[in-house]
Amino acid sequence: MVLIVCMFAECRFAVHAETEEKDKDVTLAPYFFIQDGDPSVDSFPLKGTEVETNINGTIAETYVTQTYENEGERPLSASYVFPASTKVSVHGMTMQIGDQKITAVIKEKEEAKADFEEAKTEGKSASLLEEKRSNVFTMDVANIMPGDTVSIELHYTELLETSEGTCQFVFPTVVGPRYGGGMDEAEAEEGSWIASPYLPEGVSPDSAYDITVSLSTGVPISDLVCKTHETDVEWKKNSEARITLKDAEDFAGDRDYILEYQMTGEEVGSGLILYEGEEENYFLLTVQPPKRYEPDEILPREYLFVLDVSGSMNGYPLDTAKGLIRNMVGGLRSTDCFNLFLFSDIVSEMSLESVEATEDNMQCALDLIDQQEGGGGTELALALKDALQTPAKKGVSRNVVVITDGYIWDEDEVFELIKDTSGGETSFFSFGIGSSVNRSLMEGIAGAGMGEAFVVTEEEEAEATAERFRTYIEAPLLTDIQVSFDGFDAYEVGPSNLPTLFAQKPVVLLGKWRGEPEGSICIRGKTGAENYEERVQVSDAVPSEDKEAIRYLWARKKVEELTSYGFASVDDQTKEEITTIGLSHSMLTPYTSFVAVLDTVRNPQGESAEVDQPSPLPQGVSGLSVGGYLVGTEPEEAMLFGMMVLILAAGFLNRRKRKRSL
């Protein structure tokens, strides 16, 4: 059952509405998991999650083990949704039931699915891991017998990002609820994972969640902090530390785990790593950017602020977003202009065109956002379309600023819209608000829109983040970036197009090489009006056989480029290329999956009860994001209320509205 609460923002000005209808629209939404009845029947609780991460410099290798137990009296088959970083390369999976352990194999997606379904029908225990988004995965397990304890271990690698001298490791623990209105039938089938259960607001699962990080940098660590979780740090030396959670009773699985550290020393500059494989060689190049220049003249700019006021933003996320936009709007210069778009199921537009950044206009914008409380769905694509219809001003640089938690389904539609619009005078910047934002959407908006992504987890960060945004946009570090190879036989290098560098973070290239490791790699660009050049001698790097992680990092980057941040435009040839990469690198992709099957027939009848594992709501996310749950009511009461609301709201289902001020 899907429960819907439609909440409409007040508007002080004239209103008109437009609707877009889709044939055979389907609305999917997550729902609340209500525990009742006999707990001995069909009970398959998560007993614990253990995360072990080893970070060497800026390369992280992670093992995640989730343990479940069938406490019921019947064979069970279960499915659950879980997240990971957007940059991970998942290249290993094992399943253990009792004393039987099997290593999963990578197969083409449909073949893996068929193997799993066949094993399920035959009564064999099996598991299937699929990628739904670059940061969202599903796990299905079949024929788990009464009393079985099942452990699934995943192994993945990622390259951490360094910005402003700080390296950040992010481990997402929960997938936020996604809005899935207006799907067609094909989309609804592929996106069925978003109709997954959640525990009610404020309820945590009765399971342990442990995260341990072993950090080794090779150079002294000048700063180490985890703002999201209370931790203990055991220092082995000034370049090595072991970080553990302080309080096991404080549930860690409802928000991103974010660990930040800084390194000192000259060794942290540009560098080249060469890996010699059995069949192919790979390289990783890191080039530090120049210092930020002070522009002689700051050009006038237009800012189109697109602010999410949907149900999932209710409360702390929207309060944080208000503080952020208040700082951004308040910092505009007299030569700037702006417009404001508030969206949920509907889009409220401040003005027919961008207005000057006067005190009165800025106060009008602040008054509008202060009225918002959060409610309804999340029609981001419609909001962007409306924003981009704003008449452009000549000689003014246009910047679209999206502020949201990113809990949407139609990411591909958003990316396609941005890619068709970006370039020239339009750049897109994203601000993720909340404890477990959809970083795939945030990074995709910035990547497709040649801009920068920001994540704000606390309201206190709003002012500093707004100031950082203003600095970035007024004085980019490096533009017109070009890469050339002189005497070094490099190929399949990515990213193929390097965007403008706004933040103080290195240029990173991943590629393959053949022949002798000689010659040089040159990075050129412009910093302000000055030319910039950095040349790295290949012969200074010694090829190694123990840097296999670079192989997986290259494969992840290649797939990312081929998918162009979304799956909508992938043709058959590209799909085949991605599949080949996944199979040859034993790596999870949108078109390759891991499957593990125990050969023993353990459930001769072949029948099992189906269980959908519930997730906790992300910390700070309102119950309004899931089925219109009302704070302060019992789940059963909320369901009854929702049924009445559903009848009243039937005429609004799958209708997209637009509301304009002025």
Side-chain angles (χ1 to χ4, degrees):
M1 177 179 294
V2 177
L3 309 181
I4 298 174
V5 173
C6 297
M7 304 181 69
F8 299 93
E10 293 181 4
C11 184
R12 302 171 298 166
F13 307 102
V15 173
H16 77 277
E18 298 175 359
T19 64
E20 293 180 356
E21 301 292 344
K22 282 187 177 180
D23 294 334
K24 298 182 179 179
D25 272 359
V26 179
T27 298
L28 291 180
Y31 60 92
F32 277 109
F33 178 84
I34 301 174
Q35 294 176 312
D36 56 9
D38 186 351
S40 69
V41 178
D42 303 342
S43 179
F44 190 53
L46 171 66
K47 290 297 184 180
T49 300
E50 292 187 7
V51 181
E52 287 277 353
T53 296
N54 299 309
I55 301 176
N56 188 354
T58 59
I59 297 177
E61 185 178 28
T62 297
Y63 293 86
V64 181
T65 304
Q66 292 184 307
T67 302
Y68 293 85
E69 184 176 341
N70 183 352
E71 297 180 342
E73 300 173 354
R74 297 189 294 175
L76 296 179
S77 294
S79 62
Y80 57 97
V81 180
F82 65 98
S85 165
T86 58
K87 305 298 184 183
V88 299
S89 169
V90 182
H91 49 83
M93 169 181 148
T94 60
M95 176 179 70
Q96 181 164 347
I97 300 178
D99 59 357
Q100 299 184 80
K101 186 174 184 178
I102 185 169
T103 300
V105 295
I106 194 74
K107 291 191 176 184
E108 189 273 329
K109 182 179 181 179
E110 297 304 323
E111 181 183 358
K113 181 73 171 178
D115 286 355
F116 174 80
E117 293 296 339
E118 181 181 3
K120 183 178 180 180
T121 302
E122 293 176 347
K124 298 177 180 179
S125 297
S127 57
L128 175 70
L129 175 65
E130 296 183 306
E131 178 179 324
K132 298 302 181 181
R133 290 289 187 269
S134 64
N135 62 336
V136 178
F137 309 104
T138 59
M139 179 70 74
D140 292 285
V141 293
N143 294 312
I144 309 304
M145 305 304 290
D148 275 351
T149 297
V150 182
S151 293
I152 306 289
E153 182 187 83
L154 302 181
H155 180 199
Y156 51 78
T157 303
E158 65 182 305
L159 181 65
L160 306 184
E161 184 174 281
T162 301
S163 182
E164 307 300 325
T166 298
C167 192
Q168 185 180 79
F169 168 67
V170 179
F171 183 85
T173 64
V174 63
V175 175
R178 299 292 198 265
Y179 170 74
M183 294 178 172
D184 60 31
E185 291 180 339
E187 290 173 331
E189 182 178 357
E190 198 279 328
S192 59
W193 60 270
I194 70 171
S196 56
Y198 282 84
L199 296 171
E201 183 178 351
V203 176
S204 297
D206 186 19
S207 61
Y209 207 113
D210 193 25
I211 303 174
T212 300
V213 177
S214 296
L215 174 63
S216 176
T217 60
V219 296
I221 300 170
S222 62
D223 194 19
L224 177 64
V225 62
C226 180
K227 295 180 180 179
T228 58
H229 295 71
E230 290 190 8
T231 59
D232 288 324
V233 179
E234 176 188 352
W235 290 96
K236 298 184 177 180
K237 51 185 177 180
N238 61 7
S239 62
E240 292 184 17
R242 181 176 173 84
I243 302 96
T244 56
L245 297 180
K246 181 181 290 291
D247 184 5
E249 299 300 319
D250 179 18
F251 182 65
D254 60 355
R255 58 201 183 276
D256 289 352
Y257 174 94
I258 304 176
L259 181 71
E260 296 181 335
Y261 59 97
Q262 294 181 348
M263 296 180 283
T264 61
E266 295 297 326
E267 297 90 341
V268 187
S270 303
L272 176 66
I273 301 175
L274 301 176
Y275 167 68
E276 282 189 322
E278 294 181 0
E279 298 180 359
E280 293 181 299
N281 305 322
Y282 298 81
F283 73 86
L284 168 64
L285 174 66
T286 302
V287 176
Q288 295 298 328
K291 294 182 179 179
R292 194 178 304 278
Y293 73 99
E294 294 295 332
D296 296 330
E297 180 182 4
I298 299 177
L299 300 176
R301 299 184 183 276
E302 177 188 28
Y303 297 88
L304 303 179
F305 297 105
V306 181
L307 175 61
D308 183 354
V309 293
S310 64
S312 61
M313 292 285 286
N314 181 269
Y316 134 78
L318 186 54
D319 291 340
T320 302
K322 287 178 181 179
L324 175 66
I325 202 167
R326 187 176 293 108
N327 280 284
M328 297 171 96
V329 171
L332 297 181
R333 294 169 293 118
S334 59
T335 55
D336 295 331
C337 59
F338 75 100
N339 205 351
L340 174 65
F341 300 82
L342 309 174
F343 73 95
S344 55
D345 297 300
I346 59 177
V347 181
S348 299
E349 188 172 305
M350 175 180 166
S351 173
L352 291 169
E353 61 181 7
S354 293
V355 298
E356 295 179 353
T358 64
E359 288 293 334
D360 288 343
N361 286 334
M362 288 190 285
Q363 187 58 51
C364 178
L366 296 178
D367 289 343
L368 281 175
I369 66 169
D370 281 339
Q371 295 175 19
Q372 308 307 311
E373 294 183 355
T378 315
E379 295 285 359
L380 174 56
L382 182 64
L384 285 175
K385 289 176 183 178
D386 279 6
L388 293 171
Q389 289 176 8
T390 305
K393 296 181 180 293
K394 292 184 178 180
V396 177
S397 174
R398 170 169 284 193
N399 301 280
V400 180
V401 182
V402 180
I403 305 172
T404 178
D405 54 20
Y407 294 159
I408 66 168
W409 152 261
D410 57 347
E411 292 150 308
D412 52 359
E413 182 180 1
V414 171
F415 299 154
E416 290 294 330
L417 176 63
I418 292 174
K419 285 189 292 183
D420 290 342
T421 307
S422 63
E425 294 298 318
T426 304
S427 297
F428 290 77
F429 297 83
S430 60
F431 287 78
I433 306 293
S435 63
S436 301
V437 303
N438 181 2
R439 291 174 183 262
S440 176
L441 178 69
M442 301 300 116
E443 295 170 8
I445 288 173
M450 308 297 280
E452 190 74 25
F454 302 80
V455 173
V456 182
T457 59
E458 300 175 357
E459 191 170 356
E460 293 74 18
E461 299 174 357
E463 183 175 357
T465 305
E467 180 59 34
R468 196 162 76 249
F469 166 71
R470 283 193 292 269
T471 301
Y472 287 3
I473 205 168
E474 290 174 359
L477 280 168
L478 197 60
T479 62
D480 301 328
I481 305 174
Q482 303 292 328
V483 181
S484 61
F485 301 92
D486 184 10
F488 180 55
D489 191 2
Y491 63 104
E492 294 195 56
V493 179
S496 54
N497 294 314
L498 292 165
T500 294
L501 193 62
F502 290 95
Q504 183 75 29
K505 58 186 179 183
V507 177
V508 177
L509 291 176
L510 285 156
K512 299 179 181 180
W513 60 279
R514 56 197 159 210
E516 295 298 320
E518 56 190 15
S520 63
I521 306 173
C522 186
I523 306 289
R524 294 184 177 90
K526 287 188 177 295
T527 173
E530 301 293 327
N531 292 326
Y532 168 83
E533 179 177 313
E534 176 81 12
R535 187 175 293 273
V536 177
Q537 298 299 322
V538 176
S539 58
D540 291 343
V542 178
S544 172
E545 297 179 358
D546 62 355
K547 301 292 184 182
E548 189 179 12
I550 299 175
R551 179 173 179 264
Y552 297 118
L553 298 177
W554 173 88
R556 179 72 260 173
K557 175 59 69 175
K558 185 67 174 180
V559 170
E560 182 181 297
E561 286 231 315
L562 289 170
T563 55
S564 299
Y565 303 104
F567 308 145
S569 61
V570 173
D571 56 26
D572 290 341
Q573 181 178 350
T574 303
K575 179 179 177 181
E576 182 178 350
E577 187 174 355
I578 294 171
T579 302
T580 299
I581 292 172
L583 295 176
S584 62
H585 290 75
S586 187
M587 187 182 79
L588 191 70
T589 74
Y591 309 111
T592 54
S593 304
F594 278 106
V595 61
V597 178
L598 289 177
D599 289 335
T600 307
V601 175
R602 309 180 69 241
N603 180 20
Q605 289 75 27
E607 296 182 358
S608 58
E610 301 289 336
V611 178
D612 288 327
Q613 291 297 323
S615 300
L617 276 177
Q619 186 181 75
V621 172
S622 167
L624 289 171
S625 63
V626 182
Y629 176 70
L630 299 178
V631 178
T633 64
E634 294 297 321
E636 292 84 354
E637 296 173 356
M639 290 181 69
L640 291 173
F641 179 83
M643 291 175 67
M644 294 185 291
V645 174
L646 182 61
I647 296 172
L648 295 172
F652 296 102
L653 278 175
N654 298 325
R655 295 178 64 195
R656 299 179 176 183
K657 297 186 174 183
R658 181 179 175 186
K659 183 167 64 173
R660 175 175 287 154
S661 306
L662 277 185

